Amino acid sequence: MSGRPEIARVWTTTGTRARYDRISRSYELIEGVWERPVRRIGLDALSAAPGESLIEVGCGPGYALVDIARAVGQDGRAVGVDLADGMCRVARRRVIRRRLAQRAWLVQGDASRLPLASGSFDGAFMSFVLELFDTPQIPLVLAECQRVVRPGGRLVVASLSKEGPEPPMRRLYEHGHARFPRLLDCRPIYVARAVREAGMEITSVRTVSLWGLPVEVVRART
Protein backbone atom coordinates (compact mmCIF):
# COMPACT_ATOMS: atom_id res chain seq x y z
CA MET A 1 0.00 0.00 0.00
CA SER A 2 2.66 2.51 -1.12
CA GLY A 3 1.97 6.22 -0.68
CA ARG A 4 -0.17 5.63 2.46
CA PRO A 5 0.82 5.40 6.11
CA GLU A 6 1.57 1.78 6.88
CA ILE A 7 -0.85 -0.13 9.04
CA ALA A 8 0.53 -1.59 12.25
CA ARG A 9 1.28 -5.28 12.63
CA VAL A 10 -0.62 -7.40 15.13
CA TRP A 11 0.03 -10.10 17.67
CA THR A 12 -0.02 -13.78 16.74
CA THR A 13 -3.18 -15.71 15.84
CA THR A 14 -2.42 -18.16 18.66
CA GLY A 15 -2.38 -15.31 21.16
CA THR A 16 -5.61 -13.93 19.76
CA ARG A 17 -7.32 -17.30 20.09
CA ALA A 18 -6.23 -17.69 23.72
CA ARG A 19 -7.34 -14.18 24.63
CA TYR A 20 -10.79 -14.56 23.11
CA ASP A 21 -11.22 -17.92 24.79
CA ARG A 22 -10.53 -16.21 28.12
CA ILE A 23 -12.96 -13.31 27.60
CA SER A 24 -15.72 -15.23 25.82
CA ARG A 25 -18.14 -15.07 28.75
CA SER A 26 -17.55 -11.40 29.51
CA TYR A 27 -17.06 -10.09 25.99
CA GLU A 28 -20.29 -8.07 25.93
CA LEU A 29 -19.23 -6.15 29.04
CA ILE A 30 -15.67 -5.61 27.79
CA GLU A 31 -16.16 -4.80 24.10
CA GLY A 32 -19.56 -5.87 22.81
CA VAL A 33 -21.55 -2.86 24.01
CA TRP A 34 -19.38 -0.27 22.27
CA GLU A 35 -19.38 -2.28 19.03
CA ARG A 36 -23.18 -2.66 18.90
CA PRO A 37 -24.10 0.54 16.97
CA VAL A 38 -21.64 -0.24 14.17
CA ARG A 39 -22.70 -3.89 14.13
CA ARG A 40 -26.27 -2.70 13.55
CA ILE A 41 -25.18 -0.51 10.62
CA GLY A 42 -23.31 -3.47 9.15
CA LEU A 43 -26.32 -5.76 9.46
CA ASP A 44 -28.48 -3.16 7.75
CA ALA A 45 -25.97 -3.13 4.88
CA LEU A 46 -26.06 -6.93 4.73
CA SER A 47 -29.86 -6.86 4.31
CA ALA A 48 -30.38 -10.53 5.15
CA ALA A 49 -33.51 -11.92 3.50
CA PRO A 50 -35.73 -14.94 4.16
CA GLY A 51 -34.40 -18.17 2.67
CA GLU A 52 -30.81 -16.99 2.31
CA SER A 53 -27.70 -18.82 3.47
CA LEU A 54 -25.31 -16.41 5.21
CA ILE A 55 -22.04 -16.73 7.09
CA GLU A 56 -20.64 -14.54 9.86
CA VAL A 57 -16.87 -14.75 10.00
CA GLY A 58 -15.61 -14.13 13.53
CA CYS A 59 -19.04 -14.44 15.10
CA GLY A 60 -17.83 -14.01 18.68
CA PRO A 61 -20.58 -14.61 21.26
CA GLY A 62 -23.27 -14.70 18.57
CA TYR A 63 -25.12 -11.39 18.83
CA ALA A 64 -25.12 -10.66 15.10
CA LEU A 65 -25.59 -14.35 14.30
CA VAL A 66 -28.89 -14.35 16.17
CA ASP A 67 -30.07 -11.33 14.16
CA ILE A 68 -29.01 -12.99 10.91
CA ALA A 69 -30.74 -16.26 11.83
CA ARG A 70 -33.97 -14.41 12.57
CA ALA A 71 -33.77 -12.52 9.28
CA VAL A 72 -33.21 -15.59 7.08
CA GLY A 73 -36.22 -17.35 8.58
CA GLN A 74 -37.05 -21.02 8.86
CA ASP A 75 -35.99 -21.74 5.28
CA GLY A 76 -32.65 -19.96 5.62
CA ARG A 77 -29.32 -20.81 7.19
CA ALA A 78 -26.92 -18.78 9.35
CA VAL A 79 -23.44 -20.13 10.02
CA GLY A 80 -21.08 -18.55 12.52
CA VAL A 81 -17.34 -19.24 12.39
CA ASP A 82 -14.93 -18.29 15.15
CA LEU A 83 -11.34 -19.16 15.96
CA ALA A 84 -12.01 -19.40 19.70
CA ASP A 85 -13.75 -22.48 21.10
CA GLY A 86 -15.03 -20.41 24.01
CA MET A 87 -16.77 -17.95 21.69
CA CYS A 88 -18.39 -20.82 19.78
CA ARG A 89 -19.72 -22.30 23.01
CA VAL A 90 -21.18 -18.99 24.17
CA ALA A 91 -22.71 -18.36 20.73
CA ARG A 92 -24.18 -21.85 20.60
CA ARG A 93 -25.88 -21.37 23.97
CA ARG A 94 -27.27 -18.02 22.80
CA VAL A 95 -28.66 -19.59 19.63
CA ILE A 96 -30.29 -22.40 21.62
CA ARG A 97 -31.83 -19.97 24.14
CA ARG A 98 -33.33 -17.97 21.26
CA ARG A 99 -34.76 -21.21 19.80
CA LEU A 100 -32.82 -20.75 16.57
CA ALA A 101 -30.78 -23.95 16.61
CA GLN A 102 -32.61 -25.33 13.57
CA ARG A 103 -31.31 -22.52 11.35
CA ALA A 104 -28.06 -21.37 13.01
CA TRP A 105 -24.86 -23.41 13.25
CA LEU A 106 -21.46 -22.78 14.82
CA VAL A 107 -18.14 -23.85 13.31
CA GLN A 108 -14.76 -23.51 15.03
CA GLY A 109 -12.15 -22.50 12.47
CA ASP A 110 -9.61 -20.01 11.16
CA ALA A 111 -10.97 -17.35 8.79
CA SER A 112 -7.87 -17.67 6.61
CA ARG A 113 -8.75 -21.36 6.02
CA LEU A 114 -12.52 -21.62 6.31
CA PRO A 115 -13.64 -25.26 6.69
CA LEU A 116 -16.59 -24.74 4.36
CA ALA A 117 -17.48 -25.56 0.76
CA SER A 118 -16.92 -23.06 -2.04
CA GLY A 119 -19.94 -21.09 -3.23
CA SER A 120 -22.14 -22.30 -0.39
CA PHE A 121 -23.40 -18.90 0.86
CA ASP A 122 -25.32 -15.93 -0.51
CA GLY A 123 -23.33 -13.50 1.60
CA ALA A 124 -20.75 -13.03 4.34
CA PHE A 125 -20.52 -10.63 7.27
CA MET A 126 -17.56 -9.49 9.39
CA SER A 127 -17.70 -6.94 12.21
CA PHE A 128 -14.48 -5.84 13.95
CA VAL A 129 -12.72 -8.98 12.76
CA LEU A 130 -10.60 -8.21 9.69
CA GLU A 131 -8.38 -5.77 11.61
CA LEU A 132 -7.44 -8.55 14.05
CA PHE A 133 -5.44 -10.33 11.35
CA ASP A 134 -1.82 -9.52 10.62
CA THR A 135 -1.25 -7.60 7.40
CA PRO A 136 -0.18 -10.57 5.21
CA GLN A 137 -3.26 -12.51 6.32
CA ILE A 138 -5.86 -9.90 5.35
CA PRO A 139 -5.89 -10.86 1.63
CA LEU A 140 -6.15 -14.53 2.62
CA VAL A 141 -9.20 -13.89 4.79
CA LEU A 142 -10.90 -11.87 2.06
CA ALA A 143 -10.08 -14.53 -0.53
CA GLU A 144 -11.68 -17.16 1.70
CA CYS A 145 -14.81 -15.03 2.08
CA GLN A 146 -14.97 -14.67 -1.68
CA ARG A 147 -14.48 -18.40 -2.12
CA VAL A 148 -17.31 -19.53 0.15
CA VAL A 149 -19.76 -16.93 -1.20
CA ARG A 150 -21.37 -17.67 -4.55
CA PRO A 151 -20.43 -15.45 -7.53
CA GLY A 152 -22.58 -12.32 -7.43
CA GLY A 153 -23.13 -12.66 -3.69
CA ARG A 154 -22.12 -10.01 -1.17
CA LEU A 155 -19.66 -9.29 1.59
CA VAL A 156 -20.11 -6.71 4.34
CA VAL A 157 -17.09 -5.70 6.44
CA ALA A 158 -17.12 -3.26 9.35
CA SER A 159 -13.62 -2.42 10.61
CA LEU A 160 -11.56 0.32 12.19
CA SER A 161 -10.38 2.59 9.38
CA LYS A 162 -6.96 4.02 8.54
CA GLU A 163 -8.34 6.13 5.68
CA GLY A 164 -8.37 9.92 5.63
CA PRO A 165 -6.92 12.53 7.98
CA GLU A 166 -5.43 11.42 11.29
CA PRO A 167 -7.95 12.24 14.07
CA PRO A 168 -6.52 12.53 17.59
CA MET A 169 -8.42 9.49 18.89
CA ARG A 170 -7.00 7.23 16.18
CA ARG A 171 -3.49 8.48 16.85
CA LEU A 172 -3.99 7.80 20.56
CA TYR A 173 -5.45 4.37 19.88
CA GLU A 174 -2.59 3.36 17.58
CA HIS A 175 -0.10 4.50 20.22
CA GLY A 176 -1.94 2.26 22.70
CA HIS A 177 -1.83 -0.64 20.24
CA ALA A 178 1.93 -0.22 19.85
CA ARG A 179 2.44 -0.17 23.64
CA PHE A 180 -0.11 -2.83 24.60
CA PRO A 181 -0.64 -5.09 21.56
CA ARG A 182 -2.15 -7.91 23.60
CA LEU A 183 -4.78 -5.63 25.12
CA LEU A 184 -5.56 -3.50 22.04
CA ASP A 185 -5.14 -6.35 19.59
CA CYS A 186 -6.90 -4.83 16.59
CA ARG A 187 -5.79 -1.71 14.71
CA PRO A 188 -7.10 0.57 11.92
CA ILE A 189 -6.73 -0.77 8.37
CA TYR A 190 -7.58 0.31 4.82
CA VAL A 191 -10.88 -1.54 4.63
CA ALA A 192 -12.41 -0.64 1.26
CA ARG A 193 -9.01 -0.69 -0.44
CA ALA A 194 -8.26 -4.16 0.91
CA VAL A 195 -11.63 -5.46 -0.31
CA ARG A 196 -11.12 -3.88 -3.73
CA GLU A 197 -7.59 -5.26 -4.03
CA ALA A 198 -9.01 -8.71 -3.25
CA GLY A 199 -10.92 -8.47 -6.52
CA MET A 200 -14.39 -7.57 -5.29
CA GLU A 201 -16.61 -4.76 -6.53
CA ILE A 202 -17.37 -2.14 -3.89
CA THR A 203 -21.07 -1.23 -3.90
CA SER A 204 -21.17 1.07 -0.87
CA VAL A 205 -18.89 2.56 1.78
CA ARG A 206 -20.10 4.31 4.91
CA THR A 207 -17.69 5.88 7.39
CA VAL A 208 -18.90 6.39 10.95
CA SER A 209 -17.26 7.52 14.16
CA LEU A 210 -16.98 5.25 17.17
CA TRP A 211 -15.83 7.30 20.16
CA GLY A 212 -13.74 9.34 17.73
CA LEU A 213 -12.35 6.31 15.90
CA PRO A 214 -13.26 6.16 12.19
CA VAL A 215 -14.93 2.92 11.13
CA GLU A 216 -15.61 1.84 7.52
CA VAL A 217 -18.69 -0.24 6.75
CA VAL A 218 -18.05 -1.69 3.29
CA ARG A 219 -20.43 -3.69 1.14
CA ALA A 220 -19.03 -5.47 -1.92
CA ARG A 221 -20.13 -7.87 -4.64
CA THR A 222 -18.17 -11.12 -4.86
Side-chain angles (χ1 to χ4, degrees):
M1 295 183 179
S2 59
R4 308 170 223 159
E6 290 187 4
I7 61 176
R9 302 295 293 269
V10 298
W11 200 34
T12 66
T13 301
T14 303
T16 299
R17 178 178 181 176
R19 176 175 182 265
Y20 281 86
D21 267 330
R22 287 195 304 272
I23 68 172
S24 57
R25 293 185 179 183
S26 57
Y27 183 80
E28 182 69 1
L29 295 175
I30 298 171
E31 298 179 63
V33 172
W34 78 279
E35 293 177 0
R36 187 180 299 161
V38 174
R39 191 166 63 229
R40 183 70 262 164
I41 292 170
L43 288 171
D44 288 344
L46 183 66
S47 300
E52 287 193 311
S53 182
L54 300 173
I55 178 174
E56 183 185 9
V57 179
C59 65
Y63 296 101
L65 186 66
V66 164
D67 289 337
I68 293 169
R70 286 172 173 160
V72 298
Q74 294 183 354
D75 296 327
R77 178 178 62 138
V79 175
V81 178
D82 203 279
L83 181 65
D85 293 317
M87 287 294 189
C88 288
R89 287 193 296 270
V90 172
R92 188 173 290 108
R93 288 196 293 268
R94 176 162 281 106
V95 163
I96 291 171
R97 287 199 304 270
R98 303 303 192 276
R99 299 182 179 180
L100 295 167
Q102 298 303 312
R103 66 182 88 161
W105 291 267
L106 277 302
V107 177
Q108 190 277 325
D110 188 337
S112 63
R113 298 183 300 275
L114 290 171
L116 298 161
S118 300
S120 51
F121 296 95
D122 298 300
F125 178 72
M126 282 192 288
S127 178
F128 296 105
V129 172
L130 192 61
E131 64 268 60
L132 287 169
F133 287 89
D134 199 10
T135 306
Q137 291 182 300
I138 289 176
L140 302 179
V141 173
L142 291 172
E144 278 293 274
C145 290
Q146 191 171 21
R147 180 185 66 80
V148 300
V149 174
R150 62 172 175 79
R154 64 199 185 277
L155 169 68
V156 173
V157 182
S159 289
L160 294 176
S161 177
K162 183 80 170 167
E163 286 286 359
E166 188 76 59
M169 184 57 74
R170 187 169 71 195
R171 187 163 53 247
L172 179 64
Y173 182 91
E174 290 188 307
H175 177 71
H177 170 81
R179 291 287 304 276
F180 308 104
R182 298 189 183 193
L183 179 63
L184 299 177
D185 51 355
C186 58
R187 82 293 192 209
I189 62 173
Y190 296 101
V191 190
R193 297 189 191 201
V195 173
R196 188 179 295 111
E197 288 169 3
M200 286 175 269
E201 177 189 352
I202 304 293
T203 56
S204 70
V205 179
R206 180 176 175 183
T207 302
V208 298
S209 177
L210 188 65
W211 300 98
L213 286 170
V215 177
E216 285 179 82
V217 181
V218 177
R219 176 177 166 131
R221 184 175 294 112
T222 57

